[in-house]
Amino acid sequence: MTLTDLTHMPPRAPLAMPEQDLHRAPGARPCAQDGFGWRLAVFAPALTITALLLWGLHGVLSQAGMSVVEWALLAMIGLTFVWVSLAVSTVGVALAGRFEAREPARRGAPMDVALLVPVYNEVTWDVFGNAAAMLNDVAARKPMHRYALFILSDTQDPAIAARELQAFEVLRRDVPEGMTVHYRRRAQNVDKKVGNLADWITGWGAAHDAMLVLDADSLMTGRAIVRLSDEMAADPQAGLIQSFPQLIGAETVFARIQQFSNMAYGWLLAEGLARWARAEGNYWGHNAIIRVEAFASAAGLPHIRGGRDLILSHDFVEASLLRRAGWTVKFLPRVAGSFEETPGTLVDYVLRDRRWCRGNLQHLRLLGTKGLHPVSRFHLFQGAMAYLMSPAWFLLLVFWTLLGKDAETNVIRYFNEANPLFPSWPPEMSHIDSVGFLVIMYAMLLTPKITSALVIAMRPGAVRMFGGKRAFGTAFLTEVALSVAYAPILMIQQSKAVLRALLSRREAWAPQNREGTRQPVAVLLKFHWVETTLGVLLSVGLLSGLVSWWLVPIVTSLLLAVPLSALSSLNLARHAPAGFRMDSPLTLHEPAIVGRARALRAALRADLEGRGKLVAE
């Protein structure tokens, strides 16, 4: 049993949270189903397009008989292309759904809502400054619901823990009228975030109707918090309602790429996902409101592999278990005012991705969980495929490059002639245009971005939000060029992450670095040695004629992995010309709460370091 500091907590209100049996389906509450038409509109075109592509390629390859290598090539093309097609059809569903009338905001009975902020060795003033900004903004709206903030600390560093207590005292001193704040620190971070939240539910959950789960870098407006609360209060079937977090605090090249993508393209994919997922949505672990009783009764996670392993990417699984029990899981991307921060450099992004990769690959072992809704199983499978796609793309490029070379100079032909296990090289392969395949591949990958950009370009008001036509066009082209440049590097790094997850049992965990700190060249060389080595080897292949010249863009990115990684930490806000900063509405028109949070962070830091006092705005 963990030791818990109860000094700064309200009276205990225990709530049972039984561990769920993944091998036996519970009796589910009845829940309306209304998403079949939209799902058909997403999956049918994607599967049809992929099937037609495979049928056409098979017709060419099969004229001289199909080898094992060619069947593997076809399988990998189908595996990769279907996910690209799904993204394209999701955009189509989003565009069709925009003609539907918006549902009006609803209100139910007042609720007791807990704002939960789990932390682990985080930057203290950032966490508590954001919390102060959210409390003040909620209080200013004079909501009908009652709110209490809980900082749930798993911090293991004594110095940081001491600062947390100081910051809590400052926060409690200036808490707005009608709000309460609490702080609890576990002596041991048993089961990480899963255990942290379970500790709160089993200790104090019965006193609250809902919990709004936040991350250490989360920031939400009072309007967004109250809107999610109203939606849950008005819908007794709702078990979880997920908002669409937008990225803030982006100043570096890599952070701006993510932020611009999130603002310019992510909204359309989010609209499409919400349209077809309906009551079978997903959970991203933060900036979501959850019905406490539903979560406690249906989402208690067991350990897997004979009780040895914690479920790491718990959010997807918890959403699946809630839906299994008959509660709805909804995604509301139109709830504005939900924010989070993002890694500032390529290295920081990759380090975070390694942890996520390990957790998402666990989902493959959970696909057999009894009683899950088919859409919930798809979410779990898609989470794993998001990482398995990288090694699949890599193998596809290798096979296509080797099989697509001219018969006289192809390395594969040599092995075909020397090894009777392989059939002789079919001359029909010489008619396959590798460049054409590359064009098709990039066209499909970029279609969601191009579609979103065109939708924005056709709306004068939206274009103005991005700084005008020229600024938006320049930002779009810059983002596309940089995304294409970083894609091969990320492909290799994610492939490495998959191998790490398969070959080792643990991944080092550390708080996410959001500062965009530059790394020394020696560190970057060590970090990117695999990409650099592959780039050198492929360059030799290009010059010797063993590798197709259409791979030049990919080879160039791999060769330049180190300088591109160094570029990712460049501060665009300070060093780039105005037209190349990849500005978005959140940088050109900063939300008021973001500015207030920044001021409160600075004031709290000064207060903790003895240079001033926190003044809540």
Side-chain angles (χ1 to χ4, degrees):
M1 182 176 180
T2 61
L3 300 176
T4 302
D5 178 4
L6 306 181
T7 306
H8 305 292
M9 295 292 283
R12 291 180 66 89
L15 182 63
M17 189 174 183
E19 186 177 283
Q20 298 301 302
D21 186 349
L22 304 184
H23 304 288
R24 181 183 303 171
R29 304 164 66 254
C31 178
Q33 305 278 336
D34 64 347
F36 178 77
W38 289 111
R39 289 164 191 168
L40 186 65
V42 169
F43 287 91
L47 294 175
T48 300
I49 293 171
T50 303
L52 289 173
L53 175 68
L54 294 179
W55 176 75
L57 289 174
H58 178 267
V60 175
L61 296 175
S62 62
Q63 294 181 31
M66 293 286 291
S67 70
V68 173
V69 175
E70 289 159 352
W71 278 115
L73 174 66
L74 270 184
M76 282 183 289
I77 290 174
L79 181 65
T80 53
F81 206 78
V82 70
W83 296 101
V84 178
S85 301
L86 280 171
V88 174
S89 56
T90 297
V91 168
V93 164
L95 293 174
R98 291 185 68 80
F99 294 104
E100 291 189 343
R102 294 194 181 196
E103 293 183 5
R106 301 176 296 173
R107 301 183 72 182
M111 296 193 306
D112 285 293
V113 181
L115 308 179
L116 306 184
V117 186
V119 297
Y120 178 87
N121 291 346
E122 300 286 348
V123 179
T124 305
W125 37 81
D126 288 352
V127 173
F128 285 81
N130 280 6
M134 288 187 282
L135 284 176
N136 294 333
D137 212 43
V138 170
R141 299 192 66 82
K142 303 187 183 304
M144 67 173 182
H145 308 288
R146 296 169 293 276
Y147 293 93
L149 173 75
F150 292 82
I151 304 292
L152 305 178
S153 175
D154 267 359
T155 291
Q156 301 301 293
D157 186 311
I160 298 177
R163 283 199 299 270
E164 287 176 356
L165 278 173
Q166 288 179 278
F168 167 70
E169 294 297 340
V170 174
L171 188 63
R172 185 167 61 174
R173 181 191 71 200
D174 297 315
V175 66
E177 184 178 354
M179 301 285 173
T180 58
V181 296
H182 308 281
Y183 173 83
R184 185 274 281 131
R185 176 176 172 245
R186 295 196 301 168
Q188 298 175 347
N189 64 324
V190 176
D191 286 350
K192 300 182 172 62
K193 185 176 178 179
V194 172
N196 197 353
L197 292 178
D199 180 86
W200 180 85
I201 291 170
T202 56
W204 298 273
H208 301 274
D209 302 298
M211 56 183 185
L212 200 155
V213 180
L214 301 156
D215 262 357
D217 62 348
S218 293
L219 182 65
M220 296 184 70
T221 63
R223 181 180 181 277
I225 292 171
V226 173
R227 172 73 189 280
L228 289 180
S229 305
D230 289 346
E231 288 287 339
M232 178 151 284
D235 184 358
Q237 283 192 318
L240 186 150
I241 303 175
Q242 175 71 61
S243 68
F244 178 41
Q246 295 175 315
L247 302 181
I248 57 173
E251 294 188 343
T252 64
V253 169
F254 200 79
R256 283 290 176 99
I257 292 173
Q258 296 174 82
Q259 185 182 58
F260 184 85
S261 298
N262 176 266
M263 292 297 297
Y265 325 130
W267 65 275
L268 203 50
L269 289 167
E271 287 273 352
L273 174 61
R275 188 66 51 190
W276 68 259
R278 297 290 181 170
E280 289 76 40
N282 211 350
Y283 173 38
W284 299 332
H286 57 92
N287 293 33
I289 192 167
I290 305 172
R291 195 176 300 277
V292 176
E293 185 274 329
F295 194 83
S297 64
L301 296 183
H303 286 66
I304 56 178
R305 292 175 64 96
R308 298 190 304 273
D309 289 354
L310 176 71
I311 295 177
L312 299 175
S313 289
H314 54 89
D315 38 17
F316 282 38
V317 183
E318 289 159 347
S320 300
L321 294 178
L322 278 170
R323 188 63 191 87
R324 181 177 79 158
W327 300 97
T328 65
V329 178
K330 297 193 294 186
F331 177 36
L332 298 183
R334 297 187 184 185
V335 174
S338 177
F339 308 107
E340 64 174 330
E341 295 181 32
T342 185
T345 71
L346 177 61
V347 171
D348 294 327
Y349 181 89
V350 168
L351 293 177
R352 184 189 70 175
D353 228 30
R354 287 178 184 174
R355 300 195 299 272
W356 288 5
C357 174
R358 186 176 296 273
N360 282 23
L361 290 182
Q362 276 186 335
H363 294 166
L364 295 176
R365 296 207 297 266
L366 300 172
L367 289 176
T369 300
K370 299 296 183 182
L372 295 187
H373 192 282
V375 174
S376 297
R377 293 189 201 277
F378 175 79
H379 289 316
L380 293 173
F381 183 62
Q382 187 180 37
M385 286 305 301
Y387 290 92
L388 292 175
M389 282 283 287
S390 285
W393 274 113
F394 178 72
L395 291 174
L396 172 58
L397 292 172
V398 169
F399 276 115
W400 192 278
T401 302
L402 294 177
L403 291 176
K405 279 295 293 179
D406 182 81
E408 295 299 325
T409 59
N410 199 289
V411 174
I412 294 297
R413 180 183 177 92
Y414 170 79
F415 284 108
N416 286 349
E417 293 174 346
N419 191 337
L421 293 178
F422 290 87
S424 60
W425 178 254
E428 289 79 10
M429 285 300 297
S430 61
H431 299 296
I432 298 178
D433 186 354
S434 295
V435 177
F437 173 74
L438 181 68
V439 171
I440 293 173
M441 180 181 71
Y442 274 116
M444 291 295 291
L445 287 172
L446 294 177
T447 292
K449 294 188 176 189
I450 294 171
T451 303
S452 301
L454 289 175
V455 171
I456 292 173
M458 291 186 294
R459 294 168 173 255
V463 172
R464 284 195 295 272
M465 292 291 290
F466 283 86
K469 289 184 178 180
R470 178 175 295 181
F472 176 68
T474 303
F476 170 72
L477 294 175
T478 303
E479 188 278 332
V480 168
L482 289 173
S483 294
V484 169
Y486 283 113
I489 303 171
L490 289 171
M491 176 182 67
I492 299 301
Q493 286 290 345
Q494 287 190 336
S495 298
K496 288 172 57 181
V498 170
L499 288 175
R500 288 169 65 98
L502 295 176
L503 299 177
S504 64
R505 293 290 303 277
R506 297 187 181 277
E507 187 73 54
W509 194 94
Q512 181 177 311
N513 179 19
R514 307 175 184 94
E515 299 298 322
T517 306
R518 288 192 175 191
Q519 301 284 356
V521 174
V523 172
L524 295 180
L525 284 169
K526 183 178 179 180
F527 196 85
H528 295 291
W529 74 268
V530 174
E531 301 97 292
T532 305
T533 302
L534 281 173
V536 172
L537 293 175
L538 288 172
S539 298
V540 173
L542 286 172
L543 295 175
S544 62
L546 296 177
V547 176
S548 297
W549 281 96
W550 68 271
L551 270 184
V552 166
I554 296 172
V555 174
T556 303
S557 292
L558 296 178
L559 276 174
L560 298 178
V562 170
L564 282 172
S565 189
L567 174 68
S568 73
S569 64
L570 178 69
N571 191 307
L572 283 185
R574 290 200 296 263
H575 302 300
F580 294 91
R581 289 202 296 254
M582 283 182 288
D583 278 316
S584 69
L586 291 182
T587 58
L588 295 173
H589 314 281
E590 183 179 74
I593 194 170
V594 176
R596 288 197 294 270
R598 188 188 308 108
L600 287 167
R601 286 180 177 191
L604 179 56
R605 181 174 185 175
D607 201 46
L608 294 181
E609 294 179 349
R611 298 198 307 267
K613 297 293 182 182
L614 177 67
V615 179
E617 296 183 3

